[in-house]
Every structure is written in C-alpha cells, then in structure tokens.
Amino acid sequence: MKISSLRRLTAVCGVLAAFGAGAGVAQEHGAHHWSYAGSEGPSHWAELDKEFSTCQRGIHQSPIDIRASKAADLPAIQFAYQRTPLHIVNNGHTVQVNYAPGSFIGVGDKRYQLTQFHFHHPSEERINGKRFAMVAHLVHASPDGALAVVAVLLDAGAASPAIGTLWQHLATHEGPEQKFEDVQIDATGLLPRDRGYYTFTGSLTTPPCTEDVTWLVLKTPLQISQSQADAFGKIYPSDARPIQQLNGREVLASK
C-alpha cells in the first residue's frame, strides 16, 4: 500500500474515532477524553494526547471564517443520497447519524461515500464574520481514504421537516447508538435548493484534527426553526471549535 493511501485511511479511522461510529460509541473516546471547555477544551487538545498534536501544529486547520474567496469554474456537487434507516447516537460531543453504505457525492472525477453526519451549535464556519444558529457536517470518504466534508449552515427561520424527524429521536444524554429501523431518513432533506459552494483544504474540527480534508461549504443556509436550534442547544450549548487561521490558503467559490 502506498504511504499516501495509508495516511488517508488513517484519517478515515480518525474521523470515525473522533465522533464514534456504530454500537459501543461510549467507549470510543474514553481513553483520551476531550471537550469544548476548560482543561480539555480546544486550546488544550494537543496536550491531551500526542496523536492530537496537529490540533496545535497544523497549518491548514478548520473551521475558518470565509471572508475572501476567488470565483472559479468549479464542478457542481452531484448528490446521490439514498434513504436509510435512522441510526442515531449522542456520543458525548454531538448528535450523529450513521449512514448506511450506498450514498455518494461526486465532485468532478472524484467520488465520496457518505458515512455519517453530525451537528455543531452554533455553526463552526462563519461567512464574512457571521455565525449561524447551527451547522450540519456531512462526512464522506473516498475508496482511497480521502475525506470530504459538506457543511450546511443552518439559519433560524422556518422549521425543517428533516430536522423535525431527527429531533423526534434526539437522545439528551450520551449513550450507545439507537437504531430505528422503521424510520427512514434521506440526507437530501438537509440540503438547500441552491448548492453553490466554497471549497478549501482544511482539517477535521475535532481531535485528532487531521489535515488534507476537502471542505465544501454550501453558500446558501438551510432554514430551521429557533425552537429546533434551541432543542439541540439544550443538549450541547456550545460544541464548536474556535475559528482557525487561514495561513495563506485560497478559498474558491463556485460561480
């Protein structure tokens, strides 16, 4: 196996371990716990485990505040999401939905499979300094282990039916994955109609803060009601990493 492929596969393992996947998630992050505040908060992540050193030493970290972007002829993101039974977990850091194999995005000649999506309150990404009520991160992996995250900003407005379905099964405390085989969900419901996007190279926003992640931040927010945002906020009032330095990175914007 090539070294580059091995690193990418390690990154995939990192994102799954960072947020937990499948049953037994409560044990995934027990050995090296981290949080969003205090002595285990973002400014101390690199001190908690040597594997988290990139959180401090990395130069292409996420999230960022998108203030300047360059218009470019970018390929449209081709979304091909399928319906799947709801598998949802409160993993102690966020609420995450684990997605069954078979759903993909295509970006040019690259294809990535949706593995899970999760939420942050308030949004981690900002647009010209503006922070949104929440953000959904849809995490994808390619066959060679490359990661691509679609970020959907969630703005207070009309209620979202997709969020409404998820929130009916919202676990208020950390615990194992819950499987609702009779509840069908479709991640397409989390996407706005206008799917223009910003893109840049970044990192996971949680330990181990692995870099070389392709970020695809949709320009248009999806509306959710204030009560939907507040329901998540009661569980996780602030599960958002602070803004990271751009360090010369170029942000491209679809036309």
Side-chain angles (χ1 to χ4, degrees):
M1 178 180 291
K2 293 182 179 179
I3 295 297
S4 59
S5 297
L6 180 59
R7 286 174 178 167
R8 292 192 185 101
L9 289 172
T10 301
V12 173
C13 294
V15 72
L16 295 177
F19 286 107
V25 68
Q27 289 75 40
E28 289 282 354
H29 49 77
H32 303 289
H33 188 70
W34 53 270
S35 69
Y36 287 98
S39 62
E40 296 175 327
S43 62
H44 298 284
W45 285 349
E47 304 164 10
L48 301 177
D49 189 309
K50 63 181 181 181
E51 294 182 0
F52 299 171
S53 63
T54 304
C55 299
Q56 181 180 48
R57 298 172 60 184
I59 60 173
H60 291 161
Q61 290 288 290
S62 297
I64 64 171
D65 181 1
I66 300 174
R67 289 182 175 270
S69 60
K70 179 181 179 181
D73 291 318
L74 300 175
I77 305 173
Q78 302 297 326
F79 292 92
Y81 292 158
Q82 306 296 321
R83 293 172 64 83
T84 184
L86 175 60
H87 293 180
I88 190 168
V89 60
N90 180 332
N91 62 22
H93 299 134
T94 185
V95 173
Q96 174 177 307
V97 173
N98 295 320
Y99 224 77
S103 291
F104 299 88
I105 60 169
V107 186
D109 60 354
K110 297 182 180 179
R111 193 167 186 249
Y112 304 86
Q113 180 167 254
L114 177 62
T115 62
Q116 53 103 328
F117 61 83
H118 59 269
F119 301 90
H120 296 275
H121 177 279
S123 71
E124 294 193 304
E125 297 74 22
R126 301 186 192 190
I127 308 295
N128 293 318
K130 179 180 178 179
R131 205 170 201 178
F132 296 80
M134 293 182 63
V135 67
H137 285 168
L138 290 81
V139 182
H140 307 74
S142 69
D144 65 356
L147 295 174
V149 181
V150 174
V152 182
L153 300 163
L154 305 177
D155 206 8
S160 161
I163 293 292
T165 297
L166 297 175
W167 272 206
Q168 289 178 23
H169 305 280
L170 201 59
T172 57
H173 296 89
E174 179 182 359
E177 179 185 62
Q178 299 181 63
K179 298 182 179 181
F180 300 95
E181 302 297 342
D182 59 337
V183 178
Q184 293 287 311
I185 61 165
D186 186 341
T188 308
L190 295 175
L191 304 176
R193 290 184 179 179
D194 184 349
R195 297 170 187 174
Y197 64 98
Y198 302 102
T199 186
F200 55 91
T201 299
S203 73
L204 303 182
T205 65
T206 62
C209 306
T210 305
E211 296 193 330
D212 295 324
V213 176
T214 297
W215 280 86
L216 306 160
V217 180
L218 300 191
K219 296 179 181 180
T220 303
L222 179 77
Q223 287 194 349
I224 64 172
S225 68
Q226 188 61 54
S227 62
Q228 288 176 327
D230 291 344
F232 187 94
K234 289 180 180 178
I235 304 172
Y236 289 107
S238 180
D239 66 337
R241 187 188 191 190
I243 291 295
Q244 304 296 300
Q245 294 295 319
L246 196 58
N247 290 328
R249 279 175 287 174
E250 186 173 57
V251 179
L252 300 180
S254 62
K255 293 182 179 179

